[in-house]
Amino acid sequence: EVQLVESGGGLVKPGGSLRLSCAASGFTFSDYSMNWVRQAPGKGLEWVSSIDTTSNTYTYYAESVKGRFTISRDNAKNSLYLQMNSLRAEDTAVYFCARDYWNDVEIGYWGQGTLVTVSS
Amino acid sequence: QSALTQPASVSGSPGQSITISCTGTSSDVGGYNYVSWYQQHPGKAPKLMIYDVSNRPSGVSSRFSGSKSGNTASLTISGLQAEDEATYYCSSYTSSTTTPKVFGGGTKLTVL
């Protein structure tokens, strides 16, 4: 069974930093591209970032986070990360770790999410 | 990359059928057969219901079906049940070299 467990969320002041982690199990982690998707309170889903299988070679970011967030993975530890710097109030959201489906194009599996609150 | 366009809400009575639309452009929905649909109940993680426009993952009810015409994809739920009440999101692969995925704004389905 695919399991994705996020951690690292919490309360941070504007301008601060936070690192999210996602522990994966139940599948061969190195075989799949991974993603971060966020959902602001009461709002819809927003794709944030994706990383391909080849250890950080190809990374992609939404315009809203480009230059501030960095996605990475450690295939030896079956883990995905999101380093978030220069945080803003509008970054407040539940952040979901998500695995691509077998076709490596669409998201197929989701974690339960971790809440990040940016507030003074 | 702009979000895909979905109606904010739809409703239907138990047993009826409803359809949710998802409109994009030739750079996303219209250009690729990589449209997926997700169901999200309040406080829960999204769940994949449809992938590759019209395919259902194992375990998803056959009451859920997907289709596409031009730049608009659709999700149809037949034989509505109370547990179908949720928010539904579409998503598509895009031609952008920097932002490969985009979501719709979500549609709240109310079962009357």
Side-chain angles (χ1 to χ4, degrees):
Chain A
E1 179 193 4
V2 173
Q3 287 202 327
L4 301 168
V5 180
E6 302 92 338
S7 61
L11 175 63
V12 61
K13 289 181 168 54
S17 297
L18 212 54
R19 188 195 197 207
L20 305 184
S21 299
C22 171
S25 61
F27 64 99
T28 303
F29 182 70
S30 57
D31 284 350
Y32 294 92
S33 295
M34 298 293 295
N35 311 268
W36 289 99
V37 178
R38 69 184 180 184
Q39 186 169 37
K43 302 297 184 182
L45 301 174
E46 179 189 14
W47 171 81
V48 173
S49 184
S50 297
I51 186 169
D52 77 335
T53 60
T54 57
S55 265
N56 313 323
T57 303
Y58 296 103
T59 57
Y60 308 90
Y61 300 94
E63 286 297 326
S64 57
V65 307
K66 198 171 293 184
R68 301 187 298 123
F69 290 13
T70 302
I71 190 172
S72 63
R73 65 190 295 163
D74 185 335
N75 288 343
K77 294 184 178 180
N78 292 341
S79 293
L80 176 72
Y81 307 101
L82 186 67
Q83 177 66 44
M84 304 186 296
N85 299 329
S86 303
L87 283 162
R88 308 166 179 167
E90 53 265 35
D91 295 319
T92 294
V94 173
Y95 284 73
F96 294 101
C97 168
R99 196 205 89 176
D100 272 2
Y101 205 44
W102 64 269
N103 59 12
D104 213 32
V105 177
E106 297 153 294
I107 290 174
Y109 301 91
W110 302 72
Q112 288 303 306
T114 186
L115 176 63
V116 172
T117 303
V118 184
S119 174
S120 55
Chain B
Q1 188 71 29
S2 300
L4 306 175
T5 301
Q6 298 181 234
S9 63
V10 298
S11 63
S13 300
Q16 288 185 332
S17 295
I18 63 95
T19 297
I20 300 172
S21 62
C22 169
T23 301
T25 69
S26 58
S27 295
D28 38 63
V29 174
Y32 306 92
N33 287 325
Y34 292 129
V35 176
S36 47
W37 290 90
Y38 302 91
Q39 176 192 65
Q40 188 181 35
H41 288 108
K44 301 294 187 181
K47 175 187 175 184
L48 178 66
M49 305 303 285
I50 296 288
Y51 69 96
D52 291 356
V53 175
S54 60
N55 293 321
R56 281 188 311 277
S58 174
V60 172
S61 171
S62 59
R63 297 185 299 104
F64 292 82
S65 62
S67 63
K68 189 184 82 168
S69 178
N71 296 336
T72 298
S74 299
L75 172 71
T76 297
I77 308 174
S78 59
L80 270 179
Q81 299 179 1
E83 58 262 37
D84 298 334
E85 185 163 297
T87 300
Y88 292 84
Y89 295 90
C90 63
S91 180
S92 175
Y93 177 79
T94 83
S95 62
S96 169
T97 56
T98 55
T99 55
K101 292 179 171 67
V102 64
F103 284 95
T107 299
K108 175 69 167 73
L109 168 61
T110 300
V111 180
L112 302 171

